[in-house]
């Protein structure tokens, strides 16, 4: 959209650049440092990742001759950089998928930095309808759009009686609690996505095996977009085992695309209400039972 009216340049890691359309890649520049995320990063690896994020941001700000810099998917690292440095000569716009940090002493400190840094930003593109920012103007633009040309082929009228859990499997998901809950049931569950912690899939498989529910499958894999949409579209339910304290003020691509594919989301009540989405609302993991999934869904809609 921007290329129609503006001269644009994309700056991103190599693994993202290789997936961009040729029309965009023609005006692309590779970031000098790679951020490697995995479950067992050592202390020094974690520090190096943070320093490399700052180095990338500095590289863009110092070398770009653009009038406007639009940052995407940097969030707190960008805020901390702006807080520690002078306001850039370019106008700074950023897309944010959360409106801040809430709860706990560390979160309060991060929120203070988050709000101070907003004074050096021209505008925030907010992915959440109810996000509020203390010191910067924002505009709500959903990060997903339901284009029939994209989703129609994956919308399946006859759904499989299964629950799927998809996406990146990181610390924000209560996966052990999920397996424990489904271990007490006989309902099919598929967990598929890339695990940061490579020891976790084996641990979860052992938990599933010991539970006696032979209908739990766990895959540590990177799903192609086609495979991801097919699995999500065929399933009757998608479960989002997000920590409610974290995700009630964050958006979820899986949650949004579930709506496009007529797949019923299951999540904690705060997550559904925070995103303005209807689905099966949980207050505790103990609420999950065969009767809940096979009974009157309307009775538990958020």
């Amino acid at each position: 959209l921007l290329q129609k009216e503006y001269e644009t340049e994309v700056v991103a890691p190599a693994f993202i650049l290789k997936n961009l359309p040729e029309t965009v890649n023609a005006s692309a520049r590779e970031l000098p440092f790679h951020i490697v995320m995995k479950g067992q990063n050592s202390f020094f690896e974690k520090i190096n990742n943070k320093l490399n994020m700052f180095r990338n941001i500095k590289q863009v700000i110092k070398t770009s001759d653009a009038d406007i810099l639009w940052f995407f998917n940097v969030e707190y690292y960008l805020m901390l950089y702006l807080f520690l440095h002078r306001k850039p000569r370019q106008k700074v716009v950023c897309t944010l998928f959360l409106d801040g940090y809430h709860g706990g002493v560390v979160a309060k400190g991060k929120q203070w930095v988050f709000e101070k840094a907003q004074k050096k930003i021209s505008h925030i593109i907010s992915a959440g309808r109810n996000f509020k920012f203390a010191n910067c103007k924002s505009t709500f633009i959903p990060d997903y759009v339901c284009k029939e040309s994209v989703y129609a082929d994956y919308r399946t009228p006859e759904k499989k009686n299964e629950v799927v859990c998809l996406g990146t499997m990181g610390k924000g998901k209560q996966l052990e609690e999920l397996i424990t809950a489904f271990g007490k049931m006989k309902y099919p569950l598929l967990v598929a996505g890339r695990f940061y912690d490579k020891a976790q899939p084996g641990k979860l498989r052992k938990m599933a095996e010991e539970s006696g529910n032979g209908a739990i499958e766990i895959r540590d894999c990177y799903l192609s977009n086609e495979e991801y949409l097919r699995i999500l579209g065929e399933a009757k339910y998608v479960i989002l085992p997000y920590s409610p304290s974290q995700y009630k003020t964050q958006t979820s691509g899986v949650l949004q695309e579930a709506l496009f594919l007529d797949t019923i989301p299951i999540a904690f009540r705060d997550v559904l209400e925070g995103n303005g989405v209807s689905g099966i609302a949980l207050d505790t993991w103990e609420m999950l039972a065969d009767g809940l999934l096979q009974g009157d869904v309307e009775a538990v809609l958020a």
Side-chain angles (χ1 to χ4, degrees), residues 96-102 111 114 118 130-133 249-250:
L96 293 181
F97 301 93
L98 76 172
D99 67 350
Y101 303 87
H102 311 280
Q111 181 65 20
F114 189 80
Q118 290 171 24
N130 299 317
F131 288 179
K132 298 184 185 302
F133 302 96
T249 56
Q250 291 192 36

Side-chain angles (χ1 to χ4, degrees), residues 175-188:
L175 295 172
E176 292 184 15
E177 293 86 343
L178 172 67
I179 299 302
T180 299
F182 272 83
K184 301 174 183 178
M185 303 155 52
K186 299 300 179 185
Y187 207 87

Side-chain angles (χ1 to χ4, degrees), residues 145-155 225 229 260-261:
V145 177
C146 186
K147 292 179 66 175
E148 280 300 298
S149 60
V150 174
Y151 295 101
D153 292 340
Y154 299 99
R155 195 178 294 118
N225 192 55
L229 290 174
F260 302 162
L261 296 169

